[in-house]
Amino acid sequence: VVVGQISELEKTRLNLIFSAPPMLLAAQNWSIYEPKDDEPLLTEFVQHAGANKFIFLGQQPPIWQSDFQVTELVQMEEKSVYFFPRLISTLTDSEKSLKLVFWNALKSMI
């Protein structure tokens, strides 16, 4: 599950990333969840969501902010959780190192 305020441009980029090797995910194998302002604690959200892998992109609700390990893949409630503080569509060519951090985290989730 990708969590964030995901625009159509961002969704298109994510679809390209997820459908490329080594991910090879079809569009029906992942989904987008747009968080609300009144979300439960992060651990509760992860625990009760139906997914096993979460990618949090960009700005998230304030209640979750202190729980994120920025650009680190962590285990929470026996599920993989990754927080990336930016949207992929906002990264520029000069930020290749950030793109690499994101890509390596995705590969480690496989």
PDB file of all heavy atoms in Angstrom, residues 1 3 42-47 49 51-57 60 64 67-84 105-106 108-109:
ATOM      1  N   VAL A   1       0.849  -1.174   0.000  1.00  0.00           N
ATOM      2  CA  VAL A   1       0.000   0.000   0.000  1.00  0.00           C
ATOM      3  C   VAL A   1       0.890   1.232   0.000  1.00  0.00           C
ATOM      4  O   VAL A   1       1.828   1.319   0.789  1.00  0.00           O
ATOM      5  CB  VAL A   1      -0.926   0.017   1.244  1.00  0.00           C
ATOM      6  CG1 VAL A   1      -1.666   1.333   1.350  1.00  0.00           C
ATOM      7  CG2 VAL A   1      -1.903  -1.116   1.195  1.00  0.00           C
ATOM      8  N   VAL A   3       0.892   5.112   0.840  1.00  0.00           N
ATOM      9  CA  VAL A   3       0.101   6.033   1.646  1.00  0.00           C
ATOM     10  C   VAL A   3       0.580   7.446   1.380  1.00  0.00           C
ATOM     11  O   VAL A   3       1.773   7.741   1.483  1.00  0.00           O
ATOM     12  CB  VAL A   3       0.241   5.713   3.152  1.00  0.00           C
ATOM     13  CG1 VAL A   3      -0.602   6.670   3.984  1.00  0.00           C
ATOM     14  CG2 VAL A   3      -0.144   4.265   3.432  1.00  0.00           C
ATOM     15  N   LEU A  42      -0.038   5.359  14.318  1.00  0.00           N
ATOM     16  CA  LEU A  42       0.564   4.656  13.183  1.00  0.00           C
ATOM     17  C   LEU A  42       0.576   3.145  13.385  1.00  0.00           C
ATOM     18  O   LEU A  42       0.242   2.393  12.474  1.00  0.00           O
ATOM     19  CB  LEU A  42       1.980   5.175  12.932  1.00  0.00           C
ATOM     20  CG  LEU A  42       2.694   4.573  11.729  1.00  0.00           C
ATOM     21  CD1 LEU A  42       1.946   4.880  10.437  1.00  0.00           C
ATOM     22  CD2 LEU A  42       4.117   5.071  11.657  1.00  0.00           C
ATOM     23  N   THR A  43       0.938   2.696  14.575  1.00  0.00           N
ATOM     24  CA  THR A  43       0.987   1.250  14.823  1.00  0.00           C
ATOM     25  C   THR A  43      -0.399   0.617  14.673  1.00  0.00           C
ATOM     26  O   THR A  43      -0.523  -0.484  14.152  1.00  0.00           O
ATOM     27  CB  THR A  43       1.549   0.935  16.218  1.00  0.00           C
ATOM     28  OG1 THR A  43       0.823   1.674  17.192  1.00  0.00           O
ATOM     29  CG2 THR A  43       3.026   1.267  16.303  1.00  0.00           C
ATOM     30  N   GLU A  44      -1.428   1.323  15.100  1.00  0.00           N
ATOM     31  CA  GLU A  44      -2.795   0.806  14.940  1.00  0.00           C
ATOM     32  C   GLU A  44      -3.181   0.751  13.474  1.00  0.00           C
ATOM     33  O   GLU A  44      -3.792  -0.214  13.020  1.00  0.00           O
ATOM     34  CB  GLU A  44      -3.785   1.685  15.700  1.00  0.00           C
ATOM     35  CG  GLU A  44      -3.681   1.593  17.199  1.00  0.00           C
ATOM     36  CD  GLU A  44      -4.639   2.546  17.889  1.00  0.00           C
ATOM     37  OE1 GLU A  44      -5.749   2.791  17.359  1.00  0.00           O
ATOM     38  OE2 GLU A  44      -4.269   3.068  18.951  1.00  0.00           O
ATOM     39  N   PHE A  45      -2.841   1.799  12.731  1.00  0.00           N
ATOM     40  CA  PHE A  45      -3.147   1.833  11.304  1.00  0.00           C
ATOM     41  C   PHE A  45      -2.496   0.644  10.592  1.00  0.00           C
ATOM     42  O   PHE A  45      -3.152  -0.079   9.846  1.00  0.00           O
ATOM     43  CB  PHE A  45      -2.666   3.156  10.693  1.00  0.00           C
ATOM     44  CG  PHE A  45      -2.794   3.204   9.196  1.00  0.00           C
ATOM     45  CD1 PHE A  45      -4.018   3.455   8.607  1.00  0.00           C
ATOM     46  CD2 PHE A  45      -1.696   2.975   8.388  1.00  0.00           C
ATOM     47  CE1 PHE A  45      -4.146   3.482   7.217  1.00  0.00           C
ATOM     48  CE2 PHE A  45      -1.804   3.000   7.010  1.00  0.00           C
ATOM     49  CZ  PHE A  45      -3.034   3.255   6.429  1.00  0.00           C
ATOM     50  N   VAL A  46      -1.209   0.447  10.836  1.00  0.00           N
ATOM     51  CA  VAL A  46      -0.476  -0.645  10.181  1.00  0.00           C
ATOM     52  C   VAL A  46      -1.041  -1.993  10.609  1.00  0.00           C
ATOM     53  O   VAL A  46      -1.223  -2.889   9.791  1.00  0.00           O
ATOM     54  CB  VAL A  46       1.034  -0.530  10.487  1.00  0.00           C
ATOM     55  CG1 VAL A  46       1.788  -1.777  10.042  1.00  0.00           C
ATOM     56  CG2 VAL A  46       1.615   0.707   9.821  1.00  0.00           C
ATOM     57  N   GLN A  47      -1.320  -2.139  11.874  1.00  0.00           N
ATOM     58  CA  GLN A  47      -1.820  -3.408  12.397  1.00  0.00           C
ATOM     59  C   GLN A  47      -3.150  -3.797  11.760  1.00  0.00           C
ATOM     60  O   GLN A  47      -3.369  -4.956  11.416  1.00  0.00           O
ATOM     61  CB  GLN A  47      -1.973  -3.326  13.910  1.00  0.00           C
ATOM     62  CG  GLN A  47      -2.470  -4.609  14.544  1.00  0.00           C
ATOM     63  CD  GLN A  47      -2.619  -4.482  16.050  1.00  0.00           C
ATOM     64  OE1 GLN A  47      -2.718  -3.393  16.594  1.00  0.00           O
ATOM     65  NE2 GLN A  47      -2.631  -5.617  16.727  1.00  0.00           N
ATOM     66  N   ALA A  49      -4.587  -2.524   8.901  1.00  0.00           N
ATOM     67  CA  ALA A  49      -4.672  -2.470   7.436  1.00  0.00           C
ATOM     68  C   ALA A  49      -4.419  -3.864   6.878  1.00  0.00           C
ATOM     69  O   ALA A  49      -3.737  -4.678   7.480  1.00  0.00           O
ATOM     70  CB  ALA A  49      -3.651  -1.481   6.894  1.00  0.00           C
ATOM     71  N   ALA A  51      -2.677  -4.816   4.350  1.00  0.00           N
ATOM     72  CA  ALA A  51      -1.432  -5.017   3.607  1.00  0.00           C
ATOM     73  C   ALA A  51      -0.305  -5.477   4.518  1.00  0.00           C
ATOM     74  O   ALA A  51      -0.388  -5.357   5.740  1.00  0.00           O
ATOM     75  CB  ALA A  51      -1.040  -3.711   2.923  1.00  0.00           C
ATOM     76  N   ASN A  52       0.761  -5.981   3.905  1.00  0.00           N
ATOM     77  CA  ASN A  52       1.956  -6.382   4.640  1.00  0.00           C
ATOM     78  C   ASN A  52       3.130  -5.450   4.390  1.00  0.00           C
ATOM     79  O   ASN A  52       4.127  -5.508   5.093  1.00  0.00           O
ATOM     80  CB  ASN A  52       2.377  -7.803   4.268  1.00  0.00           C
ATOM     81  CG  ASN A  52       1.405  -8.819   4.821  1.00  0.00           C
ATOM     82  OD1 ASN A  52       0.933  -8.690   5.935  1.00  0.00           O
ATOM     83  ND2 ASN A  52       1.090  -9.819   4.022  1.00  0.00           N
ATOM     84  N   LYS A  53       3.023  -4.611   3.357  1.00  0.00           N
ATOM     85  CA  LYS A  53       4.095  -3.681   3.001  1.00  0.00           C
ATOM     86  C   LYS A  53       3.489  -2.303   2.786  1.00  0.00           C
ATOM     87  O   LYS A  53       2.488  -2.157   2.081  1.00  0.00           O
ATOM     88  CB  LYS A  53       4.814  -4.147   1.742  1.00  0.00           C
ATOM     89  CG  LYS A  53       5.482  -5.493   1.936  1.00  0.00           C
ATOM     90  CD  LYS A  53       6.111  -6.002   0.678  1.00  0.00           C
ATOM     91  CE  LYS A  53       6.684  -7.390   0.953  1.00  0.00           C
ATOM     92  NZ  LYS A  53       7.262  -7.983  -0.220  1.00  0.00           N
ATOM     93  N   PHE A  54       4.123  -1.303   3.410  1.00  0.00           N
ATOM     94  CA  PHE A  54       3.623   0.067   3.342  1.00  0.00           C
ATOM     95  C   PHE A  54       4.735   1.003   2.906  1.00  0.00           C
ATOM     96  O   PHE A  54       5.846   0.932   3.430  1.00  0.00           O
ATOM     97  CB  PHE A  54       3.134   0.531   4.722  1.00  0.00           C
ATOM     98  CG  PHE A  54       1.982  -0.261   5.250  1.00  0.00           C
ATOM     99  CD1 PHE A  54       2.192  -1.456   5.924  1.00  0.00           C
ATOM    100  CD2 PHE A  54       0.677   0.189   5.081  1.00  0.00           C
ATOM    101  CE1 PHE A  54       1.136  -2.198   6.419  1.00  0.00           C
ATOM    102  CE2 PHE A  54      -0.382  -0.552   5.565  1.00  0.00           C
ATOM    103  CZ  PHE A  54      -0.154  -1.745   6.237  1.00  0.00           C
ATOM    104  N   ILE A  55       4.419   1.878   1.971  1.00  0.00           N
ATOM    105  CA  ILE A  55       5.326   2.934   1.552  1.00  0.00           C
ATOM    106  C   ILE A  55       4.594   4.251   1.796  1.00  0.00           C
ATOM    107  O   ILE A  55       3.569   4.525   1.167  1.00  0.00           O
ATOM    108  CB  ILE A  55       5.710   2.805   0.067  1.00  0.00           C
ATOM    109  CG1 ILE A  55       6.367   1.457  -0.193  1.00  0.00           C
ATOM    110  CG2 ILE A  55       6.615   3.962  -0.353  1.00  0.00           C
ATOM    111  CD1 ILE A  55       6.528   1.115  -1.648  1.00  0.00           C
ATOM    112  N   PHE A  56       5.105   5.029   2.733  1.00  0.00           N
ATOM    113  CA  PHE A  56       4.528   6.323   3.048  1.00  0.00           C
ATOM    114  C   PHE A  56       5.326   7.377   2.298  1.00  0.00           C
ATOM    115  O   PHE A  56       6.537   7.505   2.493  1.00  0.00           O
ATOM    116  CB  PHE A  56       4.596   6.593   4.556  1.00  0.00           C
ATOM    117  CG  PHE A  56       3.718   5.689   5.366  1.00  0.00           C
ATOM    118  CD1 PHE A  56       4.135   4.415   5.723  1.00  0.00           C
ATOM    119  CD2 PHE A  56       2.460   6.126   5.770  1.00  0.00           C
ATOM    120  CE1 PHE A  56       3.320   3.573   6.481  1.00  0.00           C
ATOM    121  CE2 PHE A  56       1.637   5.291   6.521  1.00  0.00           C
ATOM    122  CZ  PHE A  56       2.073   4.020   6.875  1.00  0.00           C
ATOM    123  N   LEU A  57       4.653   8.115   1.412  1.00  0.00           N
ATOM    124  CA  LEU A  57       5.326   9.123   0.595  1.00  0.00           C
ATOM    125  C   LEU A  57       4.848  10.519   0.950  1.00  0.00           C
ATOM    126  O   LEU A  57       3.644  10.754   1.098  1.00  0.00           O
ATOM    127  CB  LEU A  57       5.056   8.881  -0.891  1.00  0.00           C
ATOM    128  CG  LEU A  57       5.623   7.611  -1.500  1.00  0.00           C
ATOM    129  CD1 LEU A  57       5.230   7.511  -2.967  1.00  0.00           C
ATOM    130  CD2 LEU A  57       7.128   7.568  -1.364  1.00  0.00           C
ATOM    131  N   GLN A  60       2.608  13.453   5.806  1.00  0.00           N
ATOM    132  CA  GLN A  60       1.683  12.535   6.457  1.00  0.00           C
ATOM    133  C   GLN A  60       0.994  13.252   7.617  1.00  0.00           C
ATOM    134  O   GLN A  60       1.439  14.308   8.043  1.00  0.00           O
ATOM    135  CB  GLN A  60       2.439  11.296   6.959  1.00  0.00           C
ATOM    136  CG  GLN A  60       3.133  10.508   5.866  1.00  0.00           C
ATOM    137  CD  GLN A  60       2.166   9.852   4.899  1.00  0.00           C
ATOM    138  OE1 GLN A  60       1.070   9.466   5.248  1.00  0.00           O
ATOM    139  NE2 GLN A  60       2.582   9.723   3.645  1.00  0.00           N
ATOM    140  N   TRP A  64       1.291  10.885  13.011  1.00  0.00           N
ATOM    141  CA  TRP A  64       2.269   9.875  12.600  1.00  0.00           C
ATOM    142  C   TRP A  64       3.702  10.396  12.562  1.00  0.00           C
ATOM    143  O   TRP A  64       4.643   9.608  12.532  1.00  0.00           O
ATOM    144  CB  TRP A  64       1.923   9.328  11.228  1.00  0.00           C
ATOM    145  CG  TRP A  64       0.666   8.526  11.175  1.00  0.00           C
ATOM    146  CD1 TRP A  64      -0.065   8.053  12.229  1.00  0.00           C
ATOM    147  CD2 TRP A  64      -0.011   8.088  10.005  1.00  0.00           C
ATOM    148  NE1 TRP A  64      -1.158   7.358  11.781  1.00  0.00           N
ATOM    149  CE2 TRP A  64      -1.153   7.366  10.413  1.00  0.00           C
ATOM    150  CE3 TRP A  64       0.231   8.249   8.649  1.00  0.00           C
ATOM    151  CZ2 TRP A  64      -2.038   6.794   9.506  1.00  0.00           C
ATOM    152  CZ3 TRP A  64      -0.651   7.675   7.742  1.00  0.00           C
ATOM    153  CH2 TRP A  64      -1.773   6.955   8.167  1.00  0.00           C
ATOM    154  N   ASP A  67       6.664   8.963  14.553  1.00  0.00           N
ATOM    155  CA  ASP A  67       6.868   7.518  14.464  1.00  0.00           C
ATOM    156  C   ASP A  67       7.683   7.078  13.254  1.00  0.00           C
ATOM    157  O   ASP A  67       8.016   5.900  13.136  1.00  0.00           O
ATOM    158  CB  ASP A  67       5.516   6.795  14.440  1.00  0.00           C
ATOM    159  CG  ASP A  67       4.759   6.952  15.742  1.00  0.00           C
ATOM    160  OD1 ASP A  67       5.413   6.968  16.798  1.00  0.00           O
ATOM    161  OD2 ASP A  67       3.525   7.068  15.696  1.00  0.00           O
ATOM    162  N   PHE A  68       7.992   7.986  12.357  1.00  0.00           N
ATOM    163  CA  PHE A  68       8.678   7.600  11.131  1.00  0.00           C
ATOM    164  C   PHE A  68      10.189   7.624  11.275  1.00  0.00           C
ATOM    165  O   PHE A  68      10.755   8.541  11.850  1.00  0.00           O
ATOM    166  CB  PHE A  68       8.290   8.513   9.966  1.00  0.00           C
ATOM    167  CG  PHE A  68       6.907   8.258   9.442  1.00  0.00           C
ATOM    168  CD1 PHE A  68       5.960   9.249   9.444  1.00  0.00           C
ATOM    169  CD2 PHE A  68       6.566   7.016   8.942  1.00  0.00           C
ATOM    170  CE1 PHE A  68       4.688   9.016   8.961  1.00  0.00           C
ATOM    171  CE2 PHE A  68       5.299   6.766   8.451  1.00  0.00           C
ATOM    172  CZ  PHE A  68       4.362   7.777   8.459  1.00  0.00           C
ATOM    173  N   GLN A  69      10.818   6.599  10.757  1.00  0.00           N
ATOM    174  CA  GLN A  69      12.266   6.546  10.592  1.00  0.00           C
ATOM    175  C   GLN A  69      12.516   6.940   9.138  1.00  0.00           C
ATOM    176  O   GLN A  69      12.275   6.155   8.236  1.00  0.00           O
ATOM    177  CB  GLN A  69      12.796   5.137  10.854  1.00  0.00           C
ATOM    178  CG  GLN A  69      12.455   4.588  12.220  1.00  0.00           C
ATOM    179  CD  GLN A  69      13.100   5.384  13.321  1.00  0.00           C
ATOM    180  OE1 GLN A  69      14.253   5.775  13.229  1.00  0.00           O
ATOM    181  NE2 GLN A  69      12.349   5.648  14.368  1.00  0.00           N
ATOM    182  N   VAL A  70      12.961   8.156   8.911  1.00  0.00           N
ATOM    183  CA  VAL A  70      13.087   8.691   7.553  1.00  0.00           C
ATOM    184  C   VAL A  70      14.043   7.848   6.720  1.00  0.00           C
ATOM    185  O   VAL A  70      15.161   7.559   7.146  1.00  0.00           O
ATOM    186  CB  VAL A  70      13.542  10.157   7.582  1.00  0.00           C
ATOM    187  CG1 VAL A  70      13.746  10.702   6.181  1.00  0.00           C
ATOM    188  CG2 VAL A  70      12.514  11.006   8.316  1.00  0.00           C
ATOM    189  N   THR A  71      13.583   7.478   5.556  1.00  0.00           N
ATOM    190  CA  THR A  71      14.282   6.689   4.535  1.00  0.00           C
ATOM    191  C   THR A  71      14.890   5.393   5.075  1.00  0.00           C
ATOM    192  O   THR A  71      15.865   4.896   4.549  1.00  0.00           O
ATOM    193  CB  THR A  71      15.357   7.510   3.782  1.00  0.00           C
ATOM    194  OG1 THR A  71      16.411   7.843   4.676  1.00  0.00           O
ATOM    195  CG2 THR A  71      14.777   8.752   3.149  1.00  0.00           C
ATOM    196  N   GLU A  72      14.304   4.848   6.112  1.00  0.00           N
ATOM    197  CA  GLU A  72      14.728   3.540   6.610  1.00  0.00           C
ATOM    198  C   GLU A  72      13.546   2.582   6.588  1.00  0.00           C
ATOM    199  O   GLU A  72      12.446   2.937   6.983  1.00  0.00           O
ATOM    200  CB  GLU A  72      15.243   3.649   8.048  1.00  0.00           C
ATOM    201  CG  GLU A  72      16.564   4.359   8.169  1.00  0.00           C
ATOM    202  CD  GLU A  72      17.078   4.348   9.591  1.00  0.00           C
ATOM    203  OE1 GLU A  72      16.731   3.417  10.344  1.00  0.00           O
ATOM    204  OE2 GLU A  72      17.811   5.270   9.938  1.00  0.00           O
ATOM    205  N   LEU A  73      13.809   1.391   6.127  1.00  0.00           N
ATOM    206  CA  LEU A  73      12.805   0.339   6.138  1.00  0.00           C
ATOM    207  C   LEU A  73      12.778  -0.263   7.538  1.00  0.00           C
ATOM    208  O   LEU A  73      13.814  -0.644   8.067  1.00  0.00           O
ATOM    209  CB  LEU A  73      13.154  -0.726   5.101  1.00  0.00           C
ATOM    210  CG  LEU A  73      12.207  -1.897   4.978  1.00  0.00           C
ATOM    211  CD1 LEU A  73      10.847  -1.432   4.499  1.00  0.00           C
ATOM    212  CD2 LEU A  73      12.779  -2.914   4.002  1.00  0.00           C
ATOM    213  N   VAL A  74      11.602  -0.287   8.158  1.00  0.00           N
ATOM    214  CA  VAL A  74      11.482  -0.832   9.510  1.00  0.00           C
ATOM    215  C   VAL A  74      10.377  -1.880   9.541  1.00  0.00           C
ATOM    216  O   VAL A  74       9.509  -1.920   8.665  1.00  0.00           O
ATOM    217  CB  VAL A  74      11.181   0.278  10.559  1.00  0.00           C
ATOM    218  CG1 VAL A  74      12.312   1.267  10.646  1.00  0.00           C
ATOM    219  CG2 VAL A  74       9.870   0.975  10.265  1.00  0.00           C
ATOM    220  N   GLN A  75      10.432  -2.711  10.555  1.00  0.00           N
ATOM    221  CA  GLN A  75       9.370  -3.684  10.792  1.00  0.00           C
ATOM    222  C   GLN A  75       8.463  -3.118  11.882  1.00  0.00           C
ATOM    223  O   GLN A  75       8.939  -2.662  12.916  1.00  0.00           O
ATOM    224  CB  GLN A  75       9.955  -5.017  11.246  1.00  0.00           C
ATOM    225  CG  GLN A  75      10.748  -5.725  10.164  1.00  0.00           C
ATOM    226  CD  GLN A  75       9.877  -6.119   8.988  1.00  0.00           C
ATOM    227  OE1 GLN A  75       8.863  -6.770   9.149  1.00  0.00           O
ATOM    228  NE2 GLN A  75      10.281  -5.717   7.799  1.00  0.00           N
ATOM    229  N   MET A  76       7.180  -3.124  11.618  1.00  0.00           N
ATOM    230  CA  MET A  76       6.192  -2.626  12.568  1.00  0.00           C
ATOM    231  C   MET A  76       5.012  -3.579  12.524  1.00  0.00           C
ATOM    232  O   MET A  76       4.458  -3.824  11.451  1.00  0.00           O
ATOM    233  CB  MET A  76       5.764  -1.207  12.173  1.00  0.00           C
ATOM    234  CG  MET A  76       4.811  -0.531  13.121  1.00  0.00           C
ATOM    235  SD  MET A  76       4.386   1.139  12.570  1.00  0.00           S
ATOM    236  CE  MET A  76       5.947   1.979  12.750  1.00  0.00           C
ATOM    237  N   GLU A  77       4.646  -4.121  13.661  1.00  0.00           N
ATOM    238  CA  GLU A  77       3.545  -5.077  13.709  1.00  0.00           C
ATOM    239  C   GLU A  77       3.780  -6.225  12.720  1.00  0.00           C
ATOM    240  O   GLU A  77       2.860  -6.685  12.052  1.00  0.00           O
ATOM    241  CB  GLU A  77       2.208  -4.383  13.414  1.00  0.00           C
ATOM    242  CG  GLU A  77       1.878  -3.226  14.334  1.00  0.00           C
ATOM    243  CD  GLU A  77       1.686  -3.648  15.774  1.00  0.00           C
ATOM    244  OE1 GLU A  77       1.145  -4.737  16.009  1.00  0.00           O
ATOM    245  OE2 GLU A  77       2.096  -2.888  16.670  1.00  0.00           O
ATOM    246  N   GLU A  78       5.047  -6.629  12.580  1.00  0.00           N
ATOM    247  CA  GLU A  78       5.469  -7.706  11.677  1.00  0.00           C
ATOM    248  C   GLU A  78       5.213  -7.393  10.201  1.00  0.00           C
ATOM    249  O   GLU A  78       5.056  -8.299   9.382  1.00  0.00           O
ATOM    250  CB  GLU A  78       4.827  -9.033  12.081  1.00  0.00           C
ATOM    251  CG  GLU A  78       5.215  -9.458  13.485  1.00  0.00           C
ATOM    252  CD  GLU A  78       4.602 -10.781  13.892  1.00  0.00           C
ATOM    253  OE1 GLU A  78       4.191 -11.549  13.006  1.00  0.00           O
ATOM    254  OE2 GLU A  78       4.537 -11.033  15.098  1.00  0.00           O
ATOM    255  N   LYS A  79       5.166  -6.104   9.871  1.00  0.00           N
ATOM    256  CA  LYS A  79       4.960  -5.667   8.489  1.00  0.00           C
ATOM    257  C   LYS A  79       6.088  -4.705   8.115  1.00  0.00           C
ATOM    258  O   LYS A  79       6.666  -4.051   8.980  1.00  0.00           O
ATOM    259  CB  LYS A  79       3.603  -4.978   8.351  1.00  0.00           C
ATOM    260  CG  LYS A  79       2.454  -5.926   8.690  1.00  0.00           C
ATOM    261  CD  LYS A  79       1.128  -5.220   8.642  1.00  0.00           C
ATOM    262  CE  LYS A  79       0.004  -6.185   9.035  1.00  0.00           C
ATOM    263  NZ  LYS A  79      -1.302  -5.611   8.793  1.00  0.00           N
ATOM    264  N   SER A  80       6.400  -4.619   6.820  1.00  0.00           N
ATOM    265  CA  SER A  80       7.441  -3.711   6.336  1.00  0.00           C
ATOM    266  C   SER A  80       6.861  -2.321   6.153  1.00  0.00           C
ATOM    267  O   SER A  80       5.834  -2.153   5.477  1.00  0.00           O
ATOM    268  CB  SER A  80       8.006  -4.205   5.008  1.00  0.00           C
ATOM    269  OG  SER A  80       8.640  -5.448   5.183  1.00  0.00           O
ATOM    270  N   VAL A  81       7.537  -1.333   6.731  1.00  0.00           N
ATOM    271  CA  VAL A  81       7.078   0.054   6.657  1.00  0.00           C
ATOM    272  C   VAL A  81       8.255   0.918   6.207  1.00  0.00           C
ATOM    273  O   VAL A  81       9.342   0.872   6.794  1.00  0.00           O
ATOM    274  CB  VAL A  81       6.561   0.540   8.032  1.00  0.00           C
ATOM    275  CG1 VAL A  81       6.185   2.012   7.974  1.00  0.00           C
ATOM    276  CG2 VAL A  81       5.376  -0.303   8.481  1.00  0.00           C
ATOM    277  N   TYR A  82       8.014   1.717   5.168  1.00  0.00           N
ATOM    278  CA  TYR A  82       9.043   2.601   4.638  1.00  0.00           C
ATOM    279  C   TYR A  82       8.460   3.991   4.492  1.00  0.00           C
ATOM    280  O   TYR A  82       7.387   4.171   3.922  1.00  0.00           O
ATOM    281  CB  TYR A  82       9.541   2.088   3.285  1.00  0.00           C
ATOM    282  CG  TYR A  82      10.600   2.961   2.674  1.00  0.00           C
ATOM    283  CD1 TYR A  82      11.836   3.122   3.296  1.00  0.00           C
ATOM    284  CD2 TYR A  82      10.381   3.625   1.489  1.00  0.00           C
ATOM    285  CE1 TYR A  82      12.821   3.922   2.744  1.00  0.00           C
ATOM    286  CE2 TYR A  82      11.356   4.423   0.922  1.00  0.00           C
ATOM    287  CZ  TYR A  82      12.570   4.577   1.556  1.00  0.00           C
ATOM    288  OH  TYR A  82      13.540   5.381   1.008  1.00  0.00           O
ATOM    289  N   PHE A  83       9.167   4.980   5.036  1.00  0.00           N
ATOM    290  CA  PHE A  83       8.744   6.365   4.907  1.00  0.00           C
ATOM    291  C   PHE A  83       9.768   7.125   4.088  1.00  0.00           C
ATOM    292  O   PHE A  83      10.950   7.153   4.418  1.00  0.00           O
ATOM    293  CB  PHE A  83       8.584   7.027   6.278  1.00  0.00           C
ATOM    294  CG  PHE A  83       8.376   8.516   6.191  1.00  0.00           C
ATOM    295  CD1 PHE A  83       7.227   9.028   5.605  1.00  0.00           C
ATOM    296  CD2 PHE A  83       9.317   9.390   6.674  1.00  0.00           C
ATOM    297  CE1 PHE A  83       7.037  10.402   5.500  1.00  0.00           C
ATOM    298  CE2 PHE A  83       9.138  10.755   6.585  1.00  0.00           C
ATOM    299  CZ  PHE A  83       7.996  11.255   5.992  1.00  0.00           C
ATOM    300  N   PHE A  84       9.289   7.732   3.017  1.00  0.00           N
ATOM    301  CA  PHE A  84      10.126   8.581   2.171  1.00  0.00           C
ATOM    302  C   PHE A  84       9.502   9.962   2.207  1.00  0.00           C
ATOM    303  O   PHE A  84       8.324  10.121   1.854  1.00  0.00           O
ATOM    304  CB  PHE A  84      10.169   8.021   0.746  1.00  0.00           C
ATOM    305  CG  PHE A  84      11.229   8.646  -0.105  1.00  0.00           C
ATOM    306  CD1 PHE A  84      12.562   8.291   0.056  1.00  0.00           C
ATOM    307  CD2 PHE A  84      10.901   9.578  -1.059  1.00  0.00           C
ATOM    308  CE1 PHE A  84      13.555   8.866  -0.732  1.00  0.00           C
ATOM    309  CE2 PHE A  84      11.877  10.160  -1.852  1.00  0.00           C
ATOM    310  CZ  PHE A  84      13.203   9.805  -1.692  1.00  0.00           C
ATOM    311  N   ALA A 105      15.472   0.810  -1.089  1.00  0.00           N
ATOM    312  CA  ALA A 105      14.485   0.425  -0.068  1.00  0.00           C
ATOM    313  C   ALA A 105      13.390  -0.448  -0.678  1.00  0.00           C
ATOM    314  O   ALA A 105      12.986  -1.440  -0.090  1.00  0.00           O
ATOM    315  CB  ALA A 105      13.885   1.668   0.581  1.00  0.00           C
ATOM    316  N   LEU A 106      12.931  -0.089  -1.868  1.00  0.00           N
ATOM    317  CA  LEU A 106      11.917  -0.905  -2.528  1.00  0.00           C
ATOM    318  C   LEU A 106      12.433  -2.308  -2.804  1.00  0.00           C
ATOM    319  O   LEU A 106      11.729  -3.289  -2.577  1.00  0.00           O
ATOM    320  CB  LEU A 106      11.463  -0.263  -3.841  1.00  0.00           C
ATOM    321  CG  LEU A 106      10.638   1.001  -3.753  1.00  0.00           C
ATOM    322  CD1 LEU A 106      10.184   1.422  -5.133  1.00  0.00           C
ATOM    323  CD2 LEU A 106       9.453   0.823  -2.835  1.00  0.00           C
ATOM    324  N   SER A 108      14.647  -3.926  -1.201  1.00  0.00           N
ATOM    325  CA  SER A 108      14.776  -4.692   0.038  1.00  0.00           C
ATOM    326  C   SER A 108      13.420  -5.147   0.581  1.00  0.00           C
ATOM    327  O   SER A 108      13.373  -6.029   1.430  1.00  0.00           O
ATOM    328  CB  SER A 108      15.538  -3.879   1.095  1.00  0.00           C
ATOM    329  OG  SER A 108      14.780  -2.782   1.519  1.00  0.00           O
ATOM    330  N   MET A 109      12.340  -4.580   0.069  1.00  0.00           N
ATOM    331  CA  MET A 109      11.008  -4.994   0.503  1.00  0.00           C
ATOM    332  C   MET A 109      10.526  -6.253  -0.213  1.00  0.00           C
ATOM    333  O   MET A 109       9.564  -6.885   0.213  1.00  0.00           O
ATOM    334  CB  MET A 109       9.971  -3.881   0.284  1.00  0.00           C
ATOM    335  CG  MET A 109      10.168  -2.683   1.177  1.00  0.00           C
ATOM    336  SD  MET A 109       8.938  -1.400   0.863  1.00  0.00           S
ATOM    337  CE  MET A 109       7.656  -1.894   2.013  1.00  0.00           C
TER     338      MET A 109
END
